[in-house]
């Protein structure tokens, strides 16, 4: 079960203001798992920043695939890379 995701953004674009956020969608076996998180640069001061979500509850089985998709705000290029992610899974 996916429980937590932490995303570190290097913030190459020095993003700080509106729209100042993007959406990360969790994918399971190539399809959206209907689980998302917001990545926001609003309080970054233009520096690298970390966004996290600690209440995911997406079940995976042996052989399932896991992906994350980062989507920019509509009509805006959100330049926050390079980006690294850490995902926590627990066996239930």
């Amino acid at each position: 079960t996916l429980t937590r995701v932490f995303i570190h953004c290097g913030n190459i674009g020095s993003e700080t203001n509106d729209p100042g956020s993007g959406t990360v969608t969790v994918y399971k076996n190539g399809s959206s798992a209907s689980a998302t998180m917001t990545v926001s640069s609003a309080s970054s001061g233009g520096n690298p920043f970390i966004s996290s979500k600690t209440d995911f509850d997406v079940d995976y089985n042996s052989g399932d695939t896991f992906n994350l998709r980062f989507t920019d705000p509509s009509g805006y290029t959100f330049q926050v890379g390079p980006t690294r992610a850490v995902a926590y899974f627990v066996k239930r």
Side-chain angles (χ1 to χ4, degrees):
T1 301
L2 173 68
T3 59
R4 298 182 280 168
V5 173
F6 295 85
I7 307 239
H8 176 274
C9 297
N11 204 6
I12 196 166
S14 298
E15 301 285 346
T16 58
N17 48 15
D18 286 339
S21 64
T23 301
V24 174
T25 304
V26 174
Y27 279 74
K28 176 180 173 180
N29 297 326
S31 298
S32 171
S34 298
T36 62
M37 68 182 281
T38 300
V39 174
S40 177
S41 65
S43 62
S44 71
N47 296 308
F49 60 94
I50 296 173
S51 291
S52 63
K53 183 168 180 179
T54 59
D55 61 351
F56 280 111
D57 188 19
V58 181
D59 290 327
Y60 286 83
N61 295 308
S62 178
D64 286 345
T65 61
F66 162 78
N67 289 6
L68 297 173
R69 180 179 180 190
F70 201 125
T71 307
D72 290 339
S74 179
Y76 185 80
T77 302
F78 191 46
Q79 300 178 32
V80 295
T83 304
R84 295 185 304 259
V86 175
Y88 287 86
F89 292 85
V90 296
K91 185 175 182 178
R92 292 189 176 164

